[in-house]
Short mmCIF file of all heavy atoms in Angstrom, two decimals:
data_model
loop_
_atom_site.label_atom_id
_atom_site.label_comp_id
_atom_site.label_asym_id
_atom_site.label_seq_id
_atom_site.Cartn_x
_atom_site.Cartn_y
_atom_site.Cartn_z
N MET A 90 143.01 117.04 113.78
CA MET A 90 144.29 117.67 113.50
C MET A 90 145.39 116.60 113.58
O MET A 90 145.36 115.72 114.41
CB MET A 90 144.59 118.77 114.51
CG MET A 90 143.55 119.87 114.58
SD MET A 90 144.11 121.47 113.95
CE MET A 90 143.47 121.39 112.29
N ALA A 91 146.36 116.76 112.72
CA ALA A 91 147.44 115.76 112.61
C ALA A 91 148.68 116.20 113.38
O ALA A 91 148.83 117.36 113.76
CB ALA A 91 147.79 115.55 111.15
N GLN A 92 149.57 115.25 113.56
CA GLN A 92 150.88 115.51 114.13
C GLN A 92 151.92 115.06 113.12
O GLN A 92 151.72 114.09 112.40
CB GLN A 92 151.06 114.75 115.44
CG GLN A 92 150.15 115.24 116.54
CD GLN A 92 150.38 114.48 117.84
OE1 GLN A 92 150.77 113.32 117.85
NE2 GLN A 92 150.14 115.15 118.95
N TRP A 93 153.02 115.78 113.08
CA TRP A 93 154.12 115.48 112.17
C TRP A 93 155.40 115.36 113.00
O TRP A 93 155.66 116.18 113.86
CB TRP A 93 154.26 116.60 111.15
CG TRP A 93 153.06 116.69 110.25
CD1 TRP A 93 151.85 117.23 110.55
CD2 TRP A 93 152.95 116.19 108.93
NE1 TRP A 93 151.00 117.10 109.47
CE2 TRP A 93 151.66 116.47 108.47
CE3 TRP A 93 153.84 115.52 108.08
CZ2 TRP A 93 151.23 116.11 107.20
CZ3 TRP A 93 153.40 115.17 106.81
CH2 TRP A 93 152.11 115.47 106.39
N VAL A 94 156.19 114.33 112.72
CA VAL A 94 157.39 114.05 113.50
C VAL A 94 158.63 114.28 112.64
O VAL A 94 158.72 113.79 111.51
CB VAL A 94 157.37 112.60 114.03
CG1 VAL A 94 158.63 112.31 114.83
CG2 VAL A 94 156.14 112.35 114.87
N CYS A 95 159.59 115.00 113.22
CA CYS A 95 160.88 115.21 112.54
C CYS A 95 161.65 113.89 112.55
O CYS A 95 161.84 113.28 113.60
CB CYS A 95 161.67 116.29 113.26
SG CYS A 95 163.31 116.57 112.56
N SER A 96 162.09 113.46 111.38
CA SER A 96 162.82 112.20 111.28
C SER A 96 164.26 112.31 111.76
O SER A 96 164.95 111.31 111.89
CB SER A 96 162.79 111.68 109.83
OG SER A 96 163.41 112.61 108.97
N VAL A 97 164.70 113.53 112.06
CA VAL A 97 166.06 113.73 112.54
C VAL A 97 166.10 113.77 114.07
O VAL A 97 166.85 113.04 114.70
CB VAL A 97 166.67 115.03 111.95
CG1 VAL A 97 168.05 115.31 112.53
CG2 VAL A 97 166.72 114.95 110.43
N CYS A 98 165.25 114.62 114.68
CA CYS A 98 165.33 114.80 116.14
C CYS A 98 164.06 114.39 116.89
O CYS A 98 164.01 114.49 118.10
CB CYS A 98 165.66 116.25 116.47
SG CYS A 98 164.28 117.41 116.22
N GLU A 99 163.05 113.95 116.15
CA GLU A 99 161.78 113.49 116.71
C GLU A 99 160.92 114.59 117.34
O GLU A 99 160.03 114.32 118.11
CB GLU A 99 162.01 112.33 117.69
CG GLU A 99 162.61 111.12 117.00
CD GLU A 99 162.76 109.92 117.91
OE1 GLU A 99 162.46 110.02 119.11
OE2 GLU A 99 163.18 108.87 117.40
N TYR A 100 161.20 115.86 117.00
CA TYR A 100 160.31 116.95 117.40
C TYR A 100 158.94 116.69 116.79
O TYR A 100 158.84 116.23 115.64
CB TYR A 100 160.86 118.29 116.92
CG TYR A 100 159.86 119.43 117.02
CD1 TYR A 100 159.69 120.12 118.21
CD2 TYR A 100 159.08 119.80 115.93
CE1 TYR A 100 158.77 121.15 118.32
CE2 TYR A 100 158.15 120.83 116.03
CZ TYR A 100 158.01 121.49 117.23
OH TYR A 100 157.09 122.52 117.32
N VAL A 101 157.88 116.97 117.52
CA VAL A 101 156.52 116.76 117.02
C VAL A 101 155.86 118.09 116.75
O VAL A 101 155.74 118.93 117.66
CB VAL A 101 155.67 115.95 118.03
CG1 VAL A 101 154.24 115.81 117.53
CG2 VAL A 101 156.28 114.58 118.28
N TYR A 102 155.49 118.32 115.49
CA TYR A 102 154.67 119.48 115.16
C TYR A 102 153.22 119.04 115.27
O TYR A 102 152.77 118.17 114.53
CB TYR A 102 154.95 120.02 113.75
CG TYR A 102 153.98 121.13 113.39
CD1 TYR A 102 154.14 122.40 113.93
CD2 TYR A 102 152.89 120.90 112.57
CE1 TYR A 102 153.23 123.41 113.65
CE2 TYR A 102 151.98 121.90 112.28
CZ TYR A 102 152.15 123.15 112.83
OH TYR A 102 151.24 124.15 112.56
N ASP A 103 152.50 119.65 116.19
CA ASP A 103 151.10 119.33 116.41
C ASP A 103 150.27 120.46 115.81
O ASP A 103 150.36 121.62 116.25
CB ASP A 103 150.83 119.22 117.92
CG ASP A 103 149.45 118.72 118.25
OD1 ASP A 103 148.51 118.95 117.45
OD2 ASP A 103 149.29 118.09 119.31
N GLU A 104 149.48 120.14 114.77
CA GLU A 104 148.69 121.16 114.09
C GLU A 104 147.75 121.87 115.06
O GLU A 104 147.47 123.07 114.89
CB GLU A 104 147.89 120.53 112.95
CG GLU A 104 148.76 120.01 111.83
CD GLU A 104 147.98 119.35 110.72
OE1 GLU A 104 146.79 119.03 110.89
OE2 GLU A 104 148.59 119.16 109.64
N GLU A 105 147.28 121.17 116.05
CA GLU A 105 146.37 121.77 117.02
C GLU A 105 147.05 122.87 117.83
O GLU A 105 146.43 123.87 118.19
CB GLU A 105 145.83 120.69 117.95
CG GLU A 105 144.68 121.15 118.82
CD GLU A 105 144.05 119.99 119.57
OE1 GLU A 105 143.89 118.90 118.99
OE2 GLU A 105 143.72 120.19 120.75
N LEU A 106 148.35 122.71 118.09
CA LEU A 106 149.10 123.67 118.91
C LEU A 106 149.82 124.73 118.09
O LEU A 106 150.10 125.82 118.58
CB LEU A 106 150.12 122.93 119.77
CG LEU A 106 149.57 121.87 120.72
CD1 LEU A 106 150.71 121.16 121.44
CD2 LEU A 106 148.60 122.49 121.71
N GLY A 107 150.16 124.41 116.83
CA GLY A 107 150.95 125.33 116.01
C GLY A 107 152.38 125.40 116.53
O GLY A 107 152.87 124.50 117.20
N ASP A 108 153.05 126.50 116.24
CA ASP A 108 154.42 126.75 116.71
C ASP A 108 154.50 128.21 117.13
O ASP A 108 154.97 129.07 116.37
CB ASP A 108 155.43 126.42 115.61
CG ASP A 108 156.87 126.62 116.06
OD1 ASP A 108 157.12 126.90 117.25
OD2 ASP A 108 157.77 126.52 115.20
N PRO A 109 154.01 128.52 118.33
CA PRO A 109 153.95 129.91 118.78
C PRO A 109 155.29 130.64 118.73
O PRO A 109 155.33 131.83 118.47
CB PRO A 109 153.44 129.82 120.22
CG PRO A 109 152.82 128.47 120.34
CD PRO A 109 153.51 127.60 119.33
N THR A 110 156.40 129.93 118.97
CA THR A 110 157.71 130.59 118.96
C THR A 110 158.08 131.10 117.57
O THR A 110 158.87 132.02 117.44
CB THR A 110 158.82 129.66 119.48
OG1 THR A 110 158.89 128.50 118.64
CG2 THR A 110 158.55 129.23 120.91
N ALA A 111 157.49 130.50 116.53
CA ALA A 111 157.75 130.93 115.15
C ALA A 111 156.58 131.73 114.58
O ALA A 111 156.54 132.03 113.40
CB ALA A 111 158.02 129.71 114.27
N GLY A 112 155.59 132.05 115.44
CA GLY A 112 154.45 132.83 114.99
C GLY A 112 153.41 132.02 114.23
O GLY A 112 152.58 132.58 113.52
N ILE A 113 153.46 130.69 114.36
CA ILE A 113 152.50 129.81 113.69
C ILE A 113 151.32 129.59 114.63
O ILE A 113 151.48 129.05 115.72
CB ILE A 113 153.14 128.46 113.31
CG1 ILE A 113 154.43 128.66 112.50
CG2 ILE A 113 152.14 127.57 112.57
CD1 ILE A 113 154.26 129.37 111.18
N LEU A 114 150.15 130.02 114.21
CA LEU A 114 148.96 129.95 115.05
C LEU A 114 148.46 128.53 115.26
O LEU A 114 148.61 127.68 114.37
CB LEU A 114 147.84 130.78 114.43
CG LEU A 114 148.10 132.28 114.29
CD1 LEU A 114 146.97 132.94 113.51
CD2 LEU A 114 148.27 132.92 115.65
N PRO A 115 147.84 128.27 116.41
CA PRO A 115 147.20 126.97 116.63
C PRO A 115 146.18 126.70 115.53
O PRO A 115 145.52 127.63 115.04
CB PRO A 115 146.51 127.13 117.98
CG PRO A 115 147.30 128.19 118.68
CD PRO A 115 147.74 129.13 117.59
N GLY A 116 146.10 125.45 115.10
CA GLY A 116 145.18 125.07 114.05
C GLY A 116 145.76 125.16 112.65
O GLY A 116 145.07 124.90 111.67
N THR A 117 147.04 125.52 112.53
CA THR A 117 147.68 125.64 111.22
C THR A 117 148.09 124.27 110.69
O THR A 117 148.92 123.60 111.31
CB THR A 117 148.92 126.56 111.29
OG1 THR A 117 148.52 127.84 111.77
CG2 THR A 117 149.58 126.70 109.92
N PRO A 118 147.51 123.84 109.56
CA PRO A 118 147.91 122.55 108.98
C PRO A 118 149.38 122.57 108.55
O PRO A 118 149.91 123.62 108.15
CB PRO A 118 147.01 122.41 107.74
CG PRO A 118 145.86 123.33 107.99
CD PRO A 118 146.43 124.46 108.82
N PHE A 119 150.03 121.43 108.65
CA PHE A 119 151.43 121.32 108.28
C PHE A 119 151.67 121.83 106.86
O PHE A 119 152.65 122.51 106.58
CB PHE A 119 151.90 119.87 108.41
CG PHE A 119 153.37 119.68 108.18
CD1 PHE A 119 154.28 119.94 109.20
CD2 PHE A 119 153.85 119.24 106.96
CE1 PHE A 119 155.64 119.77 108.99
CE2 PHE A 119 155.21 119.06 106.75
CZ PHE A 119 156.11 119.33 107.76
N GLU A 120 150.75 121.51 105.96
CA GLU A 120 150.88 121.91 104.56
C GLU A 120 150.88 123.42 104.39
O GLU A 120 151.39 123.94 103.39
CB GLU A 120 149.75 121.31 103.71
CG GLU A 120 149.77 119.80 103.63
CD GLU A 120 149.10 119.11 104.82
OE1 GLU A 120 148.50 119.80 105.69
OE2 GLU A 120 149.18 117.88 104.90
N ASP A 121 150.31 124.14 105.36
CA ASP A 121 150.24 125.59 105.28
C ASP A 121 151.40 126.31 105.95
O ASP A 121 151.46 127.54 105.94
CB ASP A 121 148.92 126.09 105.90
CG ASP A 121 147.71 125.70 105.07
OD1 ASP A 121 147.88 125.29 103.90
OD2 ASP A 121 146.59 125.81 105.59
N LEU A 122 152.33 125.55 106.53
CA LEU A 122 153.52 126.18 107.11
C LEU A 122 154.31 126.84 105.98
O LEU A 122 154.36 126.33 104.86
CB LEU A 122 154.40 125.15 107.81
CG LEU A 122 153.84 124.51 109.08
CD1 LEU A 122 154.77 123.41 109.56
CD2 LEU A 122 153.62 125.55 110.15
N PRO A 123 154.95 127.97 106.26
CA PRO A 123 155.77 128.61 105.23
C PRO A 123 156.87 127.67 104.73
O PRO A 123 157.35 126.81 105.48
CB PRO A 123 156.39 129.81 105.95
CG PRO A 123 155.61 129.99 107.20
CD PRO A 123 154.99 128.67 107.54
N ASP A 124 157.25 127.81 103.47
CA ASP A 124 158.28 126.95 102.90
C ASP A 124 159.61 127.05 103.64
O ASP A 124 160.40 126.11 103.65
CB ASP A 124 158.50 127.27 101.42
CG ASP A 124 157.32 126.86 100.57
OD1 ASP A 124 156.55 125.96 100.99
OD2 ASP A 124 157.16 127.43 99.47
N ASP A 125 159.85 128.20 104.28
CA ASP A 125 161.12 128.38 104.99
C ASP A 125 161.03 128.03 106.48
O ASP A 125 161.97 128.25 107.23
CB ASP A 125 161.64 129.81 104.82
CG ASP A 125 160.69 130.86 105.40
OD1 ASP A 125 159.54 130.53 105.77
OD2 ASP A 125 161.10 132.04 105.47
N TRP A 126 159.90 127.43 106.92
CA TRP A 126 159.77 127.01 108.31
C TRP A 126 160.78 125.91 108.59
O TRP A 126 161.01 125.02 107.77
CB TRP A 126 158.35 126.50 108.57
CG TRP A 126 158.12 126.07 109.98
CD1 TRP A 126 157.82 126.85 111.05
CD2 TRP A 126 158.17 124.72 110.49
NE1 TRP A 126 157.68 126.10 112.18
CE2 TRP A 126 157.89 124.79 111.88
CE3 TRP A 126 158.42 123.49 109.93
CZ2 TRP A 126 157.85 123.66 112.69
CZ3 TRP A 126 158.40 122.36 110.74
CH2 TRP A 126 158.11 122.46 112.10
N ARG A 127 161.42 125.99 109.74
CA ARG A 127 162.44 125.00 110.14
C ARG A 127 162.04 124.33 111.44
O ARG A 127 161.36 124.92 112.27
CB ARG A 127 163.80 125.69 110.34
CG ARG A 127 164.26 126.61 109.22
CD ARG A 127 164.37 125.95 107.90
NE ARG A 127 165.61 125.20 107.77
CZ ARG A 127 165.93 124.50 106.70
NH1 ARG A 127 165.12 124.45 105.67
NH2 ARG A 127 167.04 123.83 106.64
N CYS A 128 162.48 123.12 111.62
CA CYS A 128 162.24 122.38 112.85
C CYS A 128 162.85 123.13 114.03
O CYS A 128 164.04 123.46 113.99
CB CYS A 128 162.86 120.98 112.75
SG CYS A 128 162.75 120.03 114.29
N PRO A 129 162.06 123.41 115.06
CA PRO A 129 162.60 124.10 116.23
C PRO A 129 163.65 123.27 116.97
O PRO A 129 164.48 123.83 117.70
CB PRO A 129 161.38 124.31 117.14
CG PRO A 129 160.20 124.17 116.26
CD PRO A 129 160.61 123.21 115.17
N GLY A 130 163.65 121.96 116.78
CA GLY A 130 164.59 121.10 117.48
C GLY A 130 165.95 121.00 116.83
O GLY A 130 166.98 120.97 117.52
N CYS A 131 166.00 120.95 115.47
CA CYS A 131 167.28 120.72 114.81
C CYS A 131 167.49 121.54 113.54
O CYS A 131 168.48 121.38 112.86
CB CYS A 131 167.45 119.24 114.51
SG CYS A 131 166.26 118.62 113.28
N SER A 132 166.51 122.36 113.18
CA SER A 132 166.60 123.30 112.05
C SER A 132 166.53 122.69 110.66
O SER A 132 166.84 123.35 109.68
CB SER A 132 167.87 124.16 112.15
OG SER A 132 167.83 124.93 113.33
N VAL A 133 166.09 121.42 110.54
CA VAL A 133 165.90 120.86 109.21
C VAL A 133 164.59 121.40 108.62
O VAL A 133 163.73 121.92 109.35
CB VAL A 133 165.89 119.32 109.20
CG1 VAL A 133 167.23 118.78 109.65
CG2 VAL A 133 164.76 118.76 110.03
N GLY A 134 164.41 121.26 107.32
CA GLY A 134 163.21 121.74 106.66
C GLY A 134 162.04 120.77 106.76
O GLY A 134 162.16 119.66 107.31
N LYS A 135 160.92 121.20 106.21
CA LYS A 135 159.68 120.42 106.26
C LYS A 135 159.82 119.05 105.63
O LYS A 135 159.11 118.12 106.00
CB LYS A 135 158.56 121.19 105.56
CG LYS A 135 158.10 122.42 106.29
CD LYS A 135 157.18 123.31 105.48
CE LYS A 135 156.02 122.62 104.84
NZ LYS A 135 155.10 123.55 104.15
N GLU A 136 160.73 118.90 104.68
CA GLU A 136 160.89 117.62 103.97
C GLU A 136 161.33 116.49 104.89
O GLU A 136 161.19 115.32 104.55
CB GLU A 136 161.87 117.77 102.80
CG GLU A 136 163.31 118.01 103.19
CD GLU A 136 163.64 119.46 103.56
OE1 GLU A 136 162.79 120.36 103.40
OE2 GLU A 136 164.76 119.68 104.04
N ALA A 137 161.86 116.82 106.07
CA ALA A 137 162.33 115.80 107.01
C ALA A 137 161.22 115.29 107.92
O ALA A 137 161.45 114.41 108.73
CB ALA A 137 163.48 116.35 107.85
N PHE A 138 160.00 115.81 107.76
CA PHE A 138 158.89 115.42 108.64
C PHE A 138 158.02 114.36 108.00
O PHE A 138 157.82 114.34 106.78
CB PHE A 138 158.02 116.65 108.96
CG PHE A 138 158.61 117.52 110.04
CD1 PHE A 138 159.70 118.33 109.78
CD2 PHE A 138 158.06 117.52 111.31
CE1 PHE A 138 160.24 119.12 110.77
CE2 PHE A 138 158.60 118.32 112.31
CZ PHE A 138 159.68 119.13 112.04
N VAL A 139 157.52 113.47 108.84
CA VAL A 139 156.57 112.45 108.41
C VAL A 139 155.32 112.56 109.26
O VAL A 139 155.40 112.89 110.45
CB VAL A 139 157.15 111.02 108.47
CG1 VAL A 139 158.24 110.82 107.44
CG2 VAL A 139 157.66 110.71 109.86
N ARG A 140 154.18 112.30 108.66
CA ARG A 140 152.91 112.37 109.38
C ARG A 140 152.85 111.24 110.40
O ARG A 140 153.21 110.11 110.10
CB ARG A 140 151.75 112.28 108.39
CG ARG A 140 150.41 112.50 109.03
CD ARG A 140 149.31 112.40 107.99
NE ARG A 140 148.04 112.51 108.62
CZ ARG A 140 147.17 113.49 108.42
NH1 ARG A 140 147.47 114.45 107.55
NH2 ARG A 140 146.04 113.53 109.05
N TYR A 141 152.39 111.56 111.59
CA TYR A 141 152.29 110.59 112.67
C TYR A 141 150.82 110.32 112.96
O TYR A 141 150.05 111.25 113.16
CB TYR A 141 152.98 111.13 113.92
CG TYR A 141 152.90 110.21 115.11
CD1 TYR A 141 153.77 109.14 115.21
CD2 TYR A 141 151.96 110.39 116.11
CE1 TYR A 141 153.71 108.27 116.30
CE2 TYR A 141 151.90 109.54 117.20
CZ TYR A 141 152.77 108.49 117.29
OH TYR A 141 152.71 107.64 118.35
N GLU A 142 150.46 109.04 112.93
CA GLU A 142 149.09 108.66 113.24
C GLU A 142 149.14 107.47 114.19
O GLU A 142 149.45 106.37 113.77
CB GLU A 142 148.32 108.30 111.98
CG GLU A 142 148.08 109.49 111.08
CD GLU A 142 147.18 109.17 109.91
OE1 GLU A 142 146.54 108.10 109.91
OE2 GLU A 142 147.12 109.98 108.99
N GLY A 143 148.85 107.73 115.45
CA GLY A 143 148.83 106.64 116.43
C GLY A 143 150.19 106.04 116.63
O GLY A 143 151.14 106.73 116.95
N GLU A 144 150.29 104.75 116.41
CA GLU A 144 151.52 104.03 116.68
C GLU A 144 152.50 104.00 115.52
O GLU A 144 153.62 103.59 115.67
CB GLU A 144 151.19 102.57 117.07
CG GLU A 144 150.42 102.47 118.37
CD GLU A 144 151.23 102.97 119.56
OE1 GLU A 144 152.43 102.64 119.64
OE2 GLU A 144 150.67 103.70 120.39
N GLU A 145 152.06 104.41 114.33
CA GLU A 145 152.97 104.33 113.19
C GLU A 145 153.05 105.65 112.45
O GLU A 145 152.14 106.45 112.45
CB GLU A 145 152.53 103.23 112.22
CG GLU A 145 151.21 103.51 111.54
CD GLU A 145 150.79 102.38 110.62
OE1 GLU A 145 150.51 101.29 111.14
OE2 GLU A 145 150.75 102.61 109.41
N GLU A 146 154.21 105.88 111.84
CA GLU A 146 154.40 107.06 111.03
C GLU A 146 153.94 106.75 109.62
O GLU A 146 154.08 105.65 109.13
CB GLU A 146 155.87 107.48 111.04
CG GLU A 146 156.33 107.90 112.42
CD GLU A 146 157.82 108.18 112.48
OE1 GLU A 146 158.50 108.02 111.46
OE2 GLU A 146 158.28 108.53 113.57
N VAL A 147 153.38 107.76 108.96
CA VAL A 147 152.87 107.58 107.61
C VAL A 147 153.68 108.46 106.68
O VAL A 147 153.75 109.67 106.87
CB VAL A 147 151.37 107.96 107.54
CG1 VAL A 147 150.88 107.83 106.10
CG2 VAL A 147 150.56 107.11 108.48
N ASN A 148 154.30 107.86 105.68
CA ASN A 148 155.06 108.62 104.69
C ASN A 148 154.09 109.08 103.63
O ASN A 148 153.46 108.28 102.95
CB ASN A 148 156.17 107.73 104.10
CG ASN A 148 157.08 108.51 103.20
OD1 ASN A 148 156.71 109.53 102.62
ND2 ASN A 148 158.30 108.02 103.07
N GLU A 149 153.99 110.40 103.44
CA GLU A 149 153.06 110.97 102.46
C GLU A 149 153.33 110.44 101.06
O GLU A 149 152.44 110.32 100.25
CB GLU A 149 153.18 112.50 102.46
CG GLU A 149 152.56 113.15 103.67
CD GLU A 149 151.04 113.18 103.59
OE1 GLU A 149 150.51 113.67 102.60
OE2 GLU A 149 150.41 112.69 104.54
N ASN A 150 154.58 110.10 100.74
CA ASN A 150 154.93 109.63 99.40
C ASN A 150 154.43 108.21 99.14
O ASN A 150 154.36 107.78 97.99
CB ASN A 150 156.44 109.70 99.19
CG ASN A 150 156.92 111.13 99.19
OD1 ASN A 150 156.22 112.04 98.74
ND2 ASN A 150 158.11 111.35 99.71
N ASP A 151 154.10 107.45 100.17
CA ASP A 151 153.62 106.09 100.00
C ASP A 151 152.29 106.05 99.26
O ASP A 151 151.95 105.06 98.63
CB ASP A 151 153.47 105.38 101.34
CG ASP A 151 154.80 105.04 101.96
OD1 ASP A 151 155.83 105.13 101.24
OD2 ASP A 151 154.84 104.71 103.15
N SER A 152 151.50 107.12 99.36
CA SER A 152 150.18 107.12 98.75
C SER A 152 150.20 107.57 97.29
O SER A 152 149.18 107.59 96.65
CB SER A 152 149.23 108.00 99.56
OG SER A 152 149.70 109.34 99.55
N LEU A 153 151.37 107.94 96.78
CA LEU A 153 151.46 108.42 95.39
C LEU A 153 151.51 107.29 94.40
O LEU A 153 151.95 106.26 94.57
CB LEU A 153 152.67 109.33 95.21
CG LEU A 153 152.62 110.60 96.05
CD1 LEU A 153 153.92 111.38 95.82
CD2 LEU A 153 151.45 111.46 95.71
#
């Protein structure tokens, strides 16, 4: 399971944990979050998140 970091407030969305406060079940992939899901830390949208792997963040657009 991956982790995604908000580039604004550094909140970490952990797919393994989900987001229980928003009704997102544990094990929910970031890609499956509703389009209107907002960062619990600062309320920005999913577009502000980057995938986190170990010591470095991975920009999904870099692989295009």
Side-chain angles (χ1 to χ4, degrees):
M90 302 249 97
Q92 293 181 330
W93 295 77
V94 179
C95 177
S96 61
V97 176
C98 73
E99 297 184 357
Y100 167 84
V101 177
Y102 174 76
D103 187 332
E104 293 178 345
E105 191 171 320
L106 302 176
D108 181 7
T110 60
I113 307 298
L114 297 174
T117 302
F119 186 81
E120 295 83 6
D121 291 345
L122 292 174
D124 290 337
D125 62 350
W126 181 83
R127 310 301 280 179
C128 174
C131 66
S132 298
V133 297
K135 290 169 50 176
E136 68 280 353
F138 280 74
V139 292
R140 187 180 176 116
Y141 179 80
E142 292 187 13
E144 295 296 317
E145 66 182 66
E146 295 174 359
V147 177
N148 186 335
E149 286 284 306
N150 294 326
D151 288 347
S152 62
L153 297 177

